[in-house]
Amino acid sequence: MFRHPTKRIAAIHDLSGFGRVSLTVAIPILSSMGLQVCPLPTAVLSSNTEFSGFCFVDLTANMRAMIDHWKSMNLTFDGIYSGFLGSHLQIEIVKEFIDHFKNPNQLIVVDPVLGDDGKLYDSMTPDMVSEMKTLISRADLITPNLTEACALLDMKYTEKMPESELKKVLKALSEKGPGIVIITNVNKSDRKKQTFVYAYNRADRRIWKVQCDYIPAHYPGTGDTFTSVVTGCLMQGDSLPVALDRAVQFISIAVRATYGHTHDPRAGIFLEKVLPNLSAPFRPGCFELLEQE
Ligand code: PXL
């Protein structure tokens, strides 16, 4: 069997032709960080769903045949990364994928895309939420926002959650399987122009907190950008707080590079202008150790 000199990651997301989200974010970011990305597209869309009138081809019925081909090629992956999934069956297929391709030296990342701002997205059904609970149990790292974290624990969403409660949420999610739980978009404050990311690493039982700039416009794909950068960093060997810091700083730079332009925010952040920052030396930002037991 051939050895692969670069780390290789399977990326299971949709491919949207226009508007930087999912694969068109994950591929450039992870490639810039020196990883070989193998996309397994779940659907092909003309654009992201922010643009009305988009058309799409659902690839659910083709995914198993593609996976079977990869199995016959005896491919191995150093990472597996799934994002937005369109149906109960797609989540089931990702679980089967992980069960077949898992190995001990691998990072399995699940971004459990379900909703935001206290509401599930229109396409999410209750059976997709329950299926997502079984998918996260197979992951090493999950990156829910606070809405998704609450849905995965059957908890009522509260916009302003006290830190003591957040720590319980992080640990409760980790008990479901993933060794690292990162919760984004926490305690957003328009007035203070800030939001937070919290993270728990079960291996050393430390909780980290990173303050982020409030994004004054809605750009689709920022969640994908965040999870892709964290994944790339961890696969490159960064520590969890450094990975969080680099991802938060990268998004802040990308938003600044975009915001001043007369630009349709639905097209996403100007990733192409800021990708070289991923190769820049790390400058410590603003992570904070909250708890160590
Ligand atoms: O994760 C963001 C995302 C993914 N996939 C599609 C989308 C979006 C956000 O708009 O439209 C198709």
Side-chain angles (χ1 to χ4, degrees):
M1 214 210 299
F2 297 109
R3 282 176 57 79
H4 48 278
T6 50
K7 285 196 176 176
R8 183 187 287 157
I9 183 161
I12 313 175
H13 305 250
D14 59 81
L15 176 66
S16 295
F18 188 78
R20 305 163 184 86
V21 297
S22 44
L23 280 179
T24 60
V25 165
I27 297 173
I29 289 177
L30 293 166
S31 301
S32 303
M33 298 180 87
L35 301 170
Q36 179 193 1
V37 186
C38 303
L40 178 65
T42 56
V44 179
L45 294 85
S46 54
S47 73
N48 73 37
T49 55
E50 302 268 315
F51 294 92
S52 60
F54 69 89
C55 63
F56 75 101
V57 180
D58 180 354
L59 296 176
T60 309
N62 308 82
M63 286 172 71
R64 283 197 173 106
M66 294 187 194
I67 295 167
D68 285 344
H69 184 219
W70 284 5
K71 288 180 187 169
S72 75
M73 293 164 75
N74 292 320
L75 293 186
T76 57
F77 299 99
D78 306 288
I80 300 173
Y81 168 26
S82 74
F84 174 86
L85 296 167
S87 65
H88 174 267
L89 184 54
Q90 279 189 357
I91 305 177
E92 177 77 40
I93 294 172
V94 177
K95 287 197 304 190
E96 289 170 15
F97 186 94
I98 293 172
D99 291 344
H100 179 85
F101 286 101
K102 70 166 178 257
N103 72 56
N105 303 313
Q106 189 180 47
L107 184 70
I108 299 176
V109 181
V110 171
D111 186 5
V113 179
L114 296 169
D116 205 359
D117 292 324
K119 289 191 298 284
L120 294 187
Y121 297 128
D122 290 344
S123 61
M124 296 300 155
T125 56
D127 63 337
M128 286 175 74
V129 178
S130 37
E131 198 65 21
M132 194 57 90
K133 290 179 187 163
T134 62
L135 178 57
I136 63 160
S137 70
R138 288 161 165 82
D140 301 307
L141 162 64
I142 59 169
T143 57
N145 58 34
L146 190 54
T147 304
E148 292 155 350
C150 292
L152 291 167
L153 293 173
D154 294 315
M155 276 176 59
K156 200 171 151 315
Y157 170 80
T158 34
E159 204 183 312
K160 298 269 179 280
M161 193 178 276
E163 220 155 63
S164 54
E165 190 70 17
L166 275 164
K167 289 178 183 176
K168 286 189 199 147
V169 170
L170 286 163
K171 289 177 186 174
L173 281 171
S174 178
E175 273 163 24
K176 308 231 171 244
I180 300 179
V181 176
I182 301 175
I183 305 187
T184 58
N185 220 358
V186 177
N187 292 351
K188 191 162 54 182
S189 161
D190 296 2
R191 194 172 48 80
K192 294 191 191 151
K193 297 198 182 325
Q194 67 188 14
T195 153
F196 295 92
V197 171
Y198 283 76
Y200 175 60
N201 188 352
R202 197 175 59 219
D204 58 17
R205 298 162 83 181
R206 287 195 280 185
I207 295 180
W208 302 92
K209 176 182 179 181
V210 188
Q211 186 183 322
C212 324
D213 291 351
Y214 170 83
I215 301 179
H218 172 74
Y219 297 106
T222 47
D224 301 322
T225 303
F226 178 82
T227 306
S228 299
V229 177
V230 169
T231 301
C233 290
L234 292 177
M235 290 192 64
Q236 283 180 341
D238 283 337
S239 68
L240 176 59
V242 168
L244 296 171
D245 217 350
R246 287 180 68 185
V248 165
Q249 288 182 36
F250 182 73
I251 289 181
S252 167
I253 292 167
V255 169
R256 280 160 209 254
T258 311
Y259 190 61
H261 286 277
T262 311
H263 168 68
D264 184 342
R266 295 175 297 180
I269 48 180
F270 288 154
L271 203 52
E272 310 76 26
K273 287 189 183 290
V274 294
L275 279 176
N277 287 279
L278 292 171
S279 332
F282 169 63
R283 289 159 184 266
C286 48
F287 64 74
E288 181 186 336
L289 177 61
L290 264 197
E291 180 179 304
Q292 179 164 31
E293 282 171 17

